[in-house]
Amino acid sequence: MLKLSKRLQAVSKLVRDNVSLADIGTDHAYLPVFLLQEGKINRAIACDINESPLKNAAGCIRENNVSDIELRLGDGLSPVSSHEVDDIVIAGMGAENIIAILDNCAWSKDKRYNFVFQPMTRTELLREYLCESGYEIYKEICTEENSKHYCVIGARYNGNCFKASELFKALGKVPENSDKYSKQYILFQLNKYKRILSGLNRAQNSHDTSLLLKTIKEIEEIYNDYS
Ligand SMILES: C[S@@+](CC[C@H](N)C(=O)[O-])C[C@H]1O[C@@H](n2cnc3c(N)ncnc32)[C@H](O)[C@@H]1O
């Protein structure tokens, strides 16, 4: 059985049972191969914009002897048709790239799909985009690997668009959890926002820091109350 990294294990937890999965930016196809080995999903379409990752994926599929997985070359969700998949994973890339992939897809705004995102950078930007575009974030899972913090976001479209608060952009649904990685993530975000504030204060420009100060206070309260 393939051994997944802790980051991809966290991603795998938000994939539903017995679905057809699209893994966008699959690289080695570790996630779909693991989920097929486990019998959690029925089939997978593993896509990548580059040919060499798909060669890695073909090797991994061969070594692990799994079937029911198709490899497709192309940008974002363009190699996939709307009726082929139920769950869509976009993991291991920056938030801007994930947003561009959603923006370029004509069919992703449909409540039948379960999305699992794992941004490597600018998670706040992705949360903001999802709220403003009518995707509900229903759960987040935090994990840590090699001293890096990762957040996995489960989302589905419900058409309810709203402007996310600074606090929600910073923490999303993480405060609803009660595990050590979520607590670490809250602290990580708190320290990041404090560093941003110090930088602005040091620059001594005319930046209005009141919203940032308010967000830091809110994160601090959540962290202190966290069980
Ligand atoms: C760092 S790897 C992540 C692999 C795997 N998803 C994971 O989380 O471990 C990012 C992969 O995304 C692919 N990629 C980047 N932009 C893409 C896009 N717009 N459409 C499809 N694949 C893309 C890259 O070629 C690369 O193989």
Side-chain angles (χ1 to χ4, degrees):
M1 183 78 97
L2 193 76
K3 177 105 177 71
L4 284 187
S5 63
K6 276 169 77 179
R7 179 180 63 81
L8 284 177
Q9 279 175 35
V11 171
S12 76
K13 286 189 186 140
L14 290 182
V15 175
R16 297 175 295 182
D17 289 346
N18 301 316
V19 293
S20 171
L21 173 78
D23 184 31
I24 306 302
T26 197
D27 199 356
H28 289 81
Y30 291 142
L31 180 77
V33 165
F34 171 82
L35 291 171
L36 284 164
Q37 280 183 328
E38 275 220 312
K40 186 175 163 79
I41 59 170
N42 297 335
R43 73 179 281 236
I45 303 173
C47 305
D48 209 286
I49 198 168
N50 293 307
E51 281 194 32
S52 89
L54 290 184
K55 284 192 186 133
N56 297 335
C60 180
I61 292 165
R62 240 188 345 266
E63 277 163 30
N64 289 282
N65 201 21
V66 291
S67 49
D68 299 315
I69 179 163
E70 261 183 75
L71 298 179
R72 295 191 191 166
L73 180 68
D75 187 355
L77 280 155
S78 62
V80 181
S81 299
S82 60
H83 62 274
E84 292 183 296
V85 290
D86 311 296
D87 284 27
I88 297 163
V89 168
I90 314 180
M93 35 178 121
E96 288 99 335
N97 207 0
I98 297 174
I99 290 169
I101 289 171
L102 290 175
D103 266 343
N104 291 333
C105 178
W107 48 265
S108 61
K109 289 187 168 173
D110 188 319
K111 48 177 169 276
R112 63 183 291 255
Y113 303 115
N114 175 44
F115 292 93
V116 184
F117 304 115
Q118 187 274 303
M120 297 303 267
T121 54
R122 304 200 67 192
T123 307
E124 301 83 4
L125 186 72
L126 181 61
R127 292 194 184 105
E128 179 179 35
Y129 170 86
L130 293 172
C131 293
E132 285 179 0
S133 309
Y135 295 90
E136 178 203 11
I137 296 176
Y138 65 85
K139 186 165 177 62
E140 297 197 35
I141 296 178
C142 297
T143 192
E144 189 247 21
E145 197 167 46
N146 303 326
S147 309
K148 284 200 179 120
H149 297 271
Y150 299 104
C151 227
V152 180
I153 298 178
R156 59 196 155 217
Y157 184 74
N158 70 1
N160 179 16
C161 306
F162 65 95
K163 202 168 159 17
S165 67
E166 290 304 310
L167 179 63
F168 191 80
K169 284 190 233 170
L171 300 184
K173 291 265 176 172
V174 173
E176 291 183 6
N177 304 335
S178 55
D179 60 281
K180 70 169 182 180
Y181 295 127
S182 298
K183 187 170 185 179
Q184 283 171 8
Y185 180 77
I186 294 169
L187 181 61
F188 176 77
Q189 289 294 80
L190 178 61
N191 289 334
K192 185 169 96 181
Y193 279 59
K194 281 181 175 172
R195 279 198 305 276
I196 295 171
L197 181 66
S198 312
L200 289 175
N201 286 339
R202 262 198 315 276
Q204 286 181 336
N205 50 28
S206 54
H207 255 102
D208 180 3
T209 53
S210 55
L211 187 56
L212 186 55
L213 267 168
K214 178 174 169 279
T215 310
I216 288 172
K217 203 162 169 287
E218 288 169 335
I219 301 175
E220 214 151 32
E221 273 167 23
I222 289 172
Y223 181 74
N224 291 335
D225 287 350
Y226 206 80
S227 54

